[in-house]
Amino acid sequence: MNLYKYVSESINNKLGFIANLEVPRNRAFGDFSTNAAMVMAKSAGKNPRELAAEILPQLQELDFVADASIAGPGFINIKLRNDFLWRAASQQKNAKTTAPKKIDLDYGGYNVGKALHIGHLRTSIVGDTFNRIAKYLGHTTKSYNHIGDWGRPMGLIIAWILEYGMPTNAHELNKIYPASTERAKNDDAWMARAKEITAELQSGNPEYKQIYDDFMKISLAQMDDVLHRLNLLPFDATMGERGVAPYVADTQKILEEHNLLTESDGAMIVNVKTDNDNAPMPPLMFRTSSGTQTYAAADLSAIYYRTKTDHPDIIGYFTDSRQNLHFQQVFRVAKMAEITNAELFHTGFGALTGSDGKPFKTRDGGVAELLDILDLSTDAVRSRVSDAGKKLDDETISAIALAAVKFNDLLHDVRADYVFDPNQITSFEGRTGPYILYTAVRLNSVLKRAGDIKNTTATELTDDERNLLIATLDFERTVQSAFDNRATDMIANYAYDLCQLANTFYHNCPILRDDVDDATRARRLQIVQITRDTLASAIDLMGLTIPNEM
Ligand code: ARG
């Protein structure tokens, strides 16, 4: 149940107008507070405290109100009834949306022939969690891995393979693009060759296509491996620049019909600048002067294809913020050309930095690959565990390391940069993934030791018990807000707050001790179970797994 929604709607219905409901930081005076009297005072021509006194009896009639009192200039504090709280908390269901949407999500977007780099970390983690949130709420999603598999890098790689032979594994393959790019810097003929190969590949040269297909296999296997290690949901479609190539002609036609295409030095561009633009807004490049498909043409054609096939209500993109301008351009053209009616959104991420605030580098100074991040975290977990004199199997250590990386990534506002510190994120205390998992393991172990959990009823609740139950009842609202605001950090922060309350409860409220009476034990066990279930749902949305022990 979305407690907040239930309470605020009930109050609004009762009073006949919309008032704000707040959750006070300090719950000593009430579980919720409303400014209803202050909002109404003016039109009623009364002083807010006076009006509050008149409203109180009406609020007291509501089935969930134990007590209502006036505070400050006219706020009304509401304390919930324990029996109501108990019923609501023990009968929680995943509340599905009443307005399900079709949503195409574009994240991952890995590049063929290149290692997944650190920039692909957030798009994978945040995109995957957003997908899980949307599904949880009952929307229908289709996830696209819009891979970079058709541009100039392909020509550079094929040129190299023609000269030096086919790589046999991802490690060898990933070295080719940087080497070939380096060579192209001082060797104009080499660059010209790469461009020519790219154009010929795109127009169907069979020899190049064969080479392409061969190294593509290596790349796809490498992507699969990363998906697996990151515990991401499988993509519904791996369809990128090449996959949409057959739709470029149709898209171009639409642009022409709308008189949007202009020629510029042999290239085809679309002017997107408007009089209201203060920041620079260069034209979108639809085709290069050598006749090859551009990055923007692929994205426009993808919108065309997705609209035609999926009829999405929303198309959402998750990439790093260096692509903000690109998506602004693409969205403008998509709307100018009426390619889609869907709502388009792009979430641009900040970067992972070292403690110096500069983009994170590996110890040898190189650009960090995505798997380096996991390896560094795994090493940090392993040494912590052995320092603590514990023994955990490799699978558990990997699960903890993954939780450290993903939780930390989700925790930060997606737009902001954040410092990546393997030591800090793997701590078992504080706002970390391991702390979240540790709390879940602890709750699981109480339940395991207790055996069967019976359903019970409760009318008396201690503050720690109430606070924890109310927090579980805030889960549905949190998921909804995370979706509405495209703010996956809300889930991570919610999980942390819930764990804090769960641990306070655990310390203050003995459960299995001999001096605890049966009714109290039964009640507390059920609270543990409710909390564990809610926490497990949050953990699942973050794509983490709870180990058996820690
Ligand atoms: N391949 C691109 C990169 O690695 C990301 C693709 C993002 N998605 C898109 N539809 N453009 O930078």
Side-chain angles (χ1 to χ4, degrees), residues 106 108-111 117 120 146-148 241 295 299 306 317-320 323 326-327:
D106 183 315
Y110 314 129
N111 298 316
H117 57 77
H120 291 124
H146 182 90
I147 53 177
E241 297 169 1
Y295 187 52
D299 269 318
R306 292 171 194 176
Y317 297 80
F318 300 85
T319 76
D320 71 72
Q323 304 202 26
H326 164 75
F327 282 102

Side-chain angles (χ1 to χ4, degrees), residues 21-40:
L21 193 65
E22 308 255 339
V23 182
R25 267 261 151 234
N26 176 356
R27 286 207 142 138
F29 303 109
D31 300 310
F32 291 107
S33 100
T34 171
N35 64 354
M38 288 149 86
V39 175
M40 277 286 279

Side-chain angles (χ1 to χ4, degrees), residues 52 56 58 157 161 199 224 228 378 388 397 430 441 540 546:
L56 278 191
Q58 272 177 282
I157 293 171
I161 292 177
D224 263 356
H228 184 74
T378 307
I397 291 192
V441 168
D540 193 52
I546 306 172

Side-chain angles (χ1 to χ4, degrees), residues 141-418:
T141 64
K142 182 164 175 187
S143 57
Y144 281 90
N145 186 7
H146 182 90
I147 53 177
D149 58 352
W150 209 226
R152 171 105 31 96
M154 302 303 110
L156 284 160
I157 293 171
I158 294 171
W160 191 271
I161 292 177
L162 283 168
E163 195 143 323
Y164 301 102
M166 186 53 91
T168 54
N169 56 40
H171 184 70
E172 284 173 24
L173 171 60
N174 296 342
K175 286 201 206 143
I176 295 180
Y177 173 69
S180 188
T181 309
E182 194 53 39
R183 176 158 170 192
K185 271 190 200 151
N186 314 309
D187 183 345
D188 292 345
W190 185 256
M191 182 51 115
R193 176 120 184 80
K195 285 188 184 174
E196 192 187 301
I197 294 176
T198 309
E200 284 191 37
L201 173 72
Q202 292 189 359
S203 45
N205 177 311
E207 185 197 355
Y208 299 158
K209 181 64 179 15
Q210 186 58 55
I211 296 174
Y212 174 87
D213 285 343
D214 288 347
F215 69 77
M216 173 64 93
K217 283 190 205 108
I218 302 177
S219 265
L220 289 178
Q222 184 187 22
M223 288 179 205
D224 263 356
D225 177 45
V226 173
L227 284 184
H228 184 74
R229 283 193 63 186
L230 285 178
N231 191 32
L232 304 185
L233 296 173
F235 283 101
D236 298 310
T238 294
M239 178 178 185
E241 297 169 1
R242 177 173 165 232
V244 300
Y247 305 97
V248 174
D250 282 359
T251 309
Q252 181 174 333
K253 201 161 146 237
I254 300 177
L255 297 183
E256 276 159 2
E257 281 162 10
H258 286 76
N259 286 325
L260 291 170
L261 280 178
T262 331
E263 218 216 272
S264 166
D265 293 331
M268 285 199 296
I269 61 167
V270 182
N271 286 309
V272 291
K273 194 168 161 40
T274 69
D275 293 344
N276 301 329
D277 281 319
N278 299 321
M281 182 50 74
L284 172 143
M285 166 102 76
F286 190 77
R287 204 169 77 187
T288 66
S289 51
S290 44
T292 48
Q293 172 183 321
T294 60
Y295 187 52
D299 269 318
L300 278 171
S301 308
I303 294 178
Y304 168 77
Y305 167 83
R306 292 171 194 176
T307 301
K308 210 162 67 99
T309 352
D310 307 334
H311 310 290
D313 301 300
I314 303 176
I315 308 179
Y317 297 80
F318 300 85
T319 76
D320 71 72
S321 54
R322 287 171 305 178
Q323 304 202 26
N324 287 357
L325 181 64
H326 164 75
F327 282 102
Q328 278 178 29
Q329 296 173 312
V330 168
F331 291 178
R332 281 191 189 191
V333 175
K335 291 297 169 192
M336 280 156 50
E338 301 170 286
I339 294 174
T340 193
N341 286 325
E343 175 194 339
L344 303 171
F345 79 81
H346 168 242
T347 299
F349 305 130
L352 272 69
T353 71
S355 47
D356 55 0
K358 302 217 180 88
F360 186 81
K361 296 243 158 63
T362 52
R363 221 166 286 156
D364 58 19
V367 182
E369 293 183 5
L370 193 153
L371 292 179
D372 290 334
I373 298 289
L374 289 187
D375 291 343
L376 285 168
S377 307
T378 307
D379 292 347
V381 172
R382 191 165 280 129
S383 62
R384 269 182 193 281
V385 167
S386 83
D387 286 353
K390 287 192 206 171
K391 279 210 161 44
L392 296 175
D393 59 30
D394 282 349
E395 200 185 324
T396 305
I397 291 192
S398 306
I400 299 172
L402 184 62
V405 170
K406 288 178 102 173
F407 182 82
N408 183 55
D409 195 73
L410 290 165
L411 184 64
H412 296 91
D413 181 320
V414 289
R415 287 157 203 90
D417 292 351
Y418 71 79

Side-chain angles (χ1 to χ4, degrees), residues 435 464 467-468 471 496-506:
Y435 172 74
D464 292 318
N467 291 341
L468 186 51
Y496 175 74
D497 292 343
L498 184 66
C499 287
Q500 289 278 82
L501 290 169
N503 286 313
T504 307
F505 161 84
Y506 184 85

